Amino acid sequence: MADQDDTVEDGLDFAPDSPPLPPIQFTRFPSVVDRYYQHHFQLDVGGNVGEDQYINLHSNKLIVVGLAPSHVLFSGNAEITSVNFNVDNQDRMSNAVRGKRKKGGFYLEPHSTLCEITCSDGRVFRPKSVVRGHLLEVNERLITNPRLLLERPKAEGYLVILKLRHENIPAALEPLLTTEQYQEKRMLDQSLSAMEST
């Protein structure tokens, strides 16, 4: 009986000349942000070098505005001490919309300040709306947890949500950079900076 068990076990062995099994390929599924948003960017917003922002168009045609990964806020080790939506003599948090069509809300111009971000090293940033539209929502979580800007800038760390008239969206996004253009431009800028510093 023992000999029979040995035969069964031997039969499970791979032949010496068997080809190796192919490596397992793990597929990286896109995040929710990548699946449902078109990504657009503006560099040096308001003429301030390095203050880059993203403007993401959701599949439902709403616009989410936040700080791009290349924004100078992310350089260094400073903490964010506060995010204040009371700017330009208007408290963005008092914004009110109504009805299914989300009517109302403050009307913002591209140069309108969204909030004021204060860092522990004394730096203060005032990100802009970038596009023209109605303010639908401010991210109130940044008031109590400003670290979301550092930890989850593309998700829970967004700044505001805007609503544009659908027919105005193509013209609003046309001057902005695509993801590919943004990556190419910022990588080129970083390479030039490194060359100039040597």
Side-chain angles (χ1 to χ4, degrees):
M1 190 69 176
D3 293 341
Q4 185 177 3
D5 290 343
D6 291 342
T7 303
V8 172
E9 291 178 1
D10 290 341
L12 295 177
D13 292 338
F14 291 106
D17 56 350
S18 296
L21 293 174
I24 298 175
Q25 299 292 330
F26 293 97
T27 302
R28 179 188 177 275
F29 294 100
S31 67
V32 172
V33 175
D34 292 332
R35 284 201 304 269
Y36 297 110
Y37 289 88
Q38 294 179 22
H39 305 285
H40 303 270
F41 300 86
Q42 181 161 315
L43 308 184
D44 306 328
V45 174
N48 300 309
V49 176
E51 295 191 19
D52 304 340
Q53 292 181 221
Y54 68 75
I55 302 88
N56 289 345
L57 174 65
H58 192 272
S59 56
N60 62 10
K61 303 305 180 183
L62 296 181
I63 299 282
V64 179
V65 182
L67 304 184
S70 54
H71 194 288
V72 291
L73 178 144
F74 300 117
S75 62
N77 299 315
E79 293 290 324
I80 298 174
T81 57
S82 69
V83 177
N84 182 15
F85 286 99
N86 192 347
V87 291
D88 295 344
N89 300 315
Q90 188 178 70
D91 187 358
R92 306 296 192 207
M93 292 184 64
S94 67
N95 183 70
V97 295
R98 61 187 184 278
K100 290 183 179 180
R101 296 183 179 275
K102 305 295 184 184
K103 292 184 177 180
F106 297 136
Y107 187 75
L108 302 179
E109 296 288 347
H111 61 269
S112 297
T113 299
L114 299 178
C115 62
E116 186 172 87
I117 303 168
T118 304
C119 299
S120 58
D121 59 4
R123 292 182 299 168
V124 177
F125 300 100
R126 295 169 60 86
K128 308 301 181 183
S129 176
V130 179
V131 295
R132 183 179 290 110
H134 285 92
L135 180 62
L136 201 63
E137 175 185 307
V138 301
N139 188 359
E140 297 184 9
R141 286 175 290 187
L142 298 179
I143 303 297
T144 56
N145 188 9
R147 281 198 59 82
L148 286 173
L149 272 172
L150 298 173
E151 297 170 352
R152 305 276 293 171
K154 290 172 56 180
E156 291 92 339
Y158 72 94
L159 296 175
V160 302
I161 298 176
L162 304 177
K163 181 181 180 182
L164 283 64
R165 295 179 65 89
H166 288 187
E167 61 268 26
N168 294 340
I169 291 176
L173 300 182
E174 194 277 332
L176 305 179
L177 301 181
T178 65
T179 298
E180 293 75 17
Q181 292 170 332
Y182 164 72
Q183 291 175 339
E184 180 180 356
K185 177 64 176 174
R186 271 304 172 231
M187 288 182 67
L188 177 61
D189 287 349
Q190 292 170 8
S191 298
L192 290 174
S193 297
M195 291 174 62
E196 291 172 356
S197 63
T198 56

